[in-house]
Amino acid sequence: MVDERGVRRVAVIAASPVSMFNLAIPELLFTKTEVDGRPGYEVVICAPEPGPVPTTGGLDLYVCHGLEALREADTVVVAGTGSAYAPDPRVVTALRGAAAANKRIASICTGAFLLAEAGLLAGRRATTYWEHADELRTRYPEVDLQGDVLYVQDGQVVTSSGYAAGIDLCLHIIRTDYGAAVANRVARLALVAPVRPGGQTQFTQTPLPPEQGNACADTRGWAMRNLDKPLTLTDLARHAGVSVRTLTRRFHAESGVSPLQWLLHQRIERAKELLETTTLPMDRIAQASGLGTADSLRAHLVRRTGLTPSAYRAQFSRLGTAPAAATSSVA
């Protein structure tokens, strides 16, 4: 729930033995979220029993709060656990109660097994770390498992695959609550990639040789500074100093998507930021983000978010209602 200061509350469940990395991700990203100079979230780490909680790394963490913390939470996040195949019944019961109270529930990595055991993934699209996907599919055949994506949201439930995909899940939640500009600012503060689309592949199958790993990173940075220009594959390849075929292969190995898919995603993210933070007309936003026309902006935004540009601005703008001059007949 949101408190009197407008701060959302997140309860992160540390089910024993908990992954320290998975547990640290939501605490790090949510506590870096600021909106209009105030914290966006209050984060509480909790466990079935307050006290020492074993970790998958062999250390113990001292957790001060029990599962009663879920009662005051707006969002519940289950960190990955080394006991995925033997879910703690106390956590399962608490998750069912949270779902009945219509709270948003998320899992990172093998935390999805706890959600599945609680019956929260039955008939829903969900994901988990690819190494455990077959096991989850076997144990819980009623889950519509998406085996090779970063994260999936289906209604009030959000699941992510393993390790760093938890970062993408948390940024997705921040973007949902506060918009792309806030989420991307958190990503910059945490020195991680901006919000990535959930359908991106979990892993790359052809890693680049180390000595060539920076070529596409430099080109991506250059492209981000030139999103308003009509960039082509040839332009990107020329900047990287390689052929189009080589660029495409290396780009996919580094980012998991093709150069043009990545470019389109960045253009849409730029358009969303401009909708949130300016009162520019739709055709100007389309040009500044490289989407071309207001019609193109509308088509891409509706496909990506389900909202027209005007509806997106009305929902996420932090500037109040835009003046009439800042709207477009095709919005």
Side-chain angles (χ1 to χ4, degrees):
M1 62 182 65
V2 180
D3 69 13
E4 65 278 0
R5 300 168 296 162
V7 178
R8 297 176 182 270
R9 290 173 174 161
V10 178
V12 185
I13 300 177
S16 173
V18 67
S19 161
M20 290 188 291
F21 182 61
N22 286 175
L23 189 63
I25 289 170
E27 190 278 332
L28 170 67
L29 295 178
F30 289 129
T31 57
K32 284 189 175 295
T33 304
E34 285 194 2
V35 182
D36 297 334
R38 61 170 172 77
Y41 300 94
E42 178 183 282
V43 180
V44 175
I45 309 296
C46 59
E49 284 186 28
V53 175
T55 71
T56 54
L59 302 176
D60 283 354
L61 296 177
Y62 194 91
V63 177
C64 298
H65 300 278
L67 296 175
E68 67 278 358
L70 272 62
R71 290 197 293 266
E72 302 299 320
D74 169 68
T75 299
V76 176
V77 180
V78 183
T81 170
S83 59
Y85 306 154
D88 189 313
R90 295 168 296 180
V91 176
V92 170
T93 299
L95 288 172
R96 288 174 179 155
N102 204 34
K103 299 178 187 296
R104 178 171 52 199
I105 301 176
S107 67
I108 299 175
C109 196
T110 52
F113 283 79
L114 283 156
L115 271 60
E117 182 68 17
L120 306 187
L121 301 185
R124 292 185 188 271
R125 292 177 297 114
T127 192
T128 190
Y129 183 39
W130 64 269
E131 194 170 39
H132 298 279
D134 287 343
E135 183 67 31
L136 191 141
R137 186 179 289 109
T138 299
R139 289 174 178 267
Y140 307 101
E142 68 277 12
V143 179
D144 182 7
L145 189 65
Q146 311 290 299
D148 189 22
V149 296
L150 292 177
Y151 59 87
V152 178
Q153 176 158 4
D154 191 331
Q156 73 191 91
V157 179
V158 195
T159 53
S160 82
S161 56
Y163 298 102
I167 296 173
D168 298 291
L169 177 141
C170 291
L171 290 174
H172 167 73
I173 289 174
I174 295 168
R175 180 178 62 185
T176 300
D177 290 342
Y178 295 114
V182 173
N184 288 337
R185 183 165 63 248
V186 172
R188 288 193 294 270
L189 287 171
L191 299 178
V192 297
V195 184
R196 296 188 289 177
Q200 185 167 319
T201 183
Q202 286 189 27
F203 58 92
T204 58
Q205 299 190 11
T206 314
L208 292 177
E211 66 273 17
Q212 297 175 344
N214 289 329
C216 288
D218 293 342
T219 298
R220 284 195 296 271
W222 172 79
M224 288 290 291
R225 295 189 295 273
N226 291 277
L227 287 178
D228 59 327
K229 298 180 175 60
L231 301 177
T232 65
L233 271 176
T234 301
D235 294 328
L236 296 172
R238 183 181 300 115
H239 182 274
V242 297
S243 68
V244 168
R245 181 176 180 180
T246 298
L247 173 82
T248 301
R249 174 175 55 80
R250 292 180 179 176
F251 209 101
H252 195 284
E254 287 188 6
S255 66
V257 294
S258 73
L260 293 184
Q261 286 175 319
W262 177 88
L263 191 60
L264 176 60
H265 176 70
Q266 301 306 326
R267 293 191 192 285
I268 294 171
E269 289 300 309
R270 175 67 55 81
K272 287 160 66 177
E273 286 201 32
L274 293 172
L275 286 167
E276 293 173 26
T277 59
T278 76
T279 58
L280 288 171
M282 300 306 171
D283 55 353
R284 290 279 304 281
I285 289 177
Q287 293 165 11
S289 60
L291 291 173
T293 66
D295 285 324
S296 177
L297 167 65
R298 187 183 194 279
H300 285 297
L301 200 67
V302 168
R303 189 177 302 117
R304 181 63 59 85
T305 69
L307 298 173
T308 65
S310 290
Y312 186 91
R313 172 173 271 165
Q315 182 167 340
F316 292 110
S317 174
R318 308 207 61 79
L319 301 177
T321 303
T327 63
S328 167
S329 60
V330 298

